[in-house]
Amino acid sequence: QGKLVESGGGSVQAGGSLKLSCAYSTVTTRRACMGWFRQPPGKEREGIAILFTGGGDPFYDDSVKGRFTISQDSDKNAIITEMNSLKAEDTAMYYCATYFPVTWPRGARCSTQPSDYVYWGQGTQVTVSS
């Protein structure tokens, strides 16, 4: 059984940039919904950037639209998320997660609900100071 390996994160001043990377440890040809969730202290976990490895437009939460970009690195079985113009409210623990949809009908979209995701990374802290 594979697992997710995260890298990136750290501390930065407001306006700065960071990059998160998440790789699935087992090479697979199965199409997956894969992305990032974050959980600020005392708040619920929320999906912020998610893509389907089979193609289509990624999902972005309104709070990160225009600032975060998620992309797929197929050679490395990984996703990369560039985070720009970071704000203090972006401070949170960030988790990579994935699930493999059984079916994918035309027009389908990846779930943004944490409960639908089967595999999770260990989390990486992002701290933005103002």
Side-chain angles (χ1 to χ4, degrees):
Q1 185 173 351
K3 64 177 181 180
L4 297 174
V5 180
E6 301 163 341
S7 61
S11 297
V12 67
Q13 290 190 329
S17 299
L18 288 171
K19 183 167 71 174
L20 301 177
S21 178
C22 175
Y24 191 66
S25 62
T26 300
V27 175
T28 177
T29 58
R30 296 173 63 189
R31 296 178 298 176
C33 288
M34 197 167 180
W36 290 92
F37 291 74
R38 68 183 180 189
Q39 187 166 19
K43 295 186 178 181
E44 294 186 352
R45 195 171 297 189
E46 59 179 359
I48 57 166
I50 299 166
L51 60 75
F52 179 58
T53 61
D57 294 331
F59 160 83
Y60 294 101
D61 185 76
D62 287 344
S63 63
V64 306
K65 275 182 182 177
R67 301 187 298 122
F68 289 16
T69 303
I70 188 171
S71 60
Q72 181 180 355
D73 186 338
S74 300
D75 291 342
K76 297 181 180 179
N77 217 37
I79 57 171
I80 308 295
T81 300
E82 299 275 355
M83 305 188 295
N84 298 312
S85 303
L86 284 162
K87 306 174 182 179
E89 50 263 44
D90 293 319
T91 295
M93 184 68 78
Y94 284 67
Y95 297 90
C96 180
T98 190
Y99 73 97
F100 299 93
V102 175
T103 61
W104 194 257
R106 185 185 297 276
R109 301 286 291 173
C110 287
S111 171
T112 60
Q113 299 301 310
S115 58
D116 289 328
Y117 286 73
V118 177
Y119 302 101
W120 289 84
Q122 76 281 4
T124 184
Q125 179 68 36
V126 171
T127 301
V128 184
S129 57
S130 56

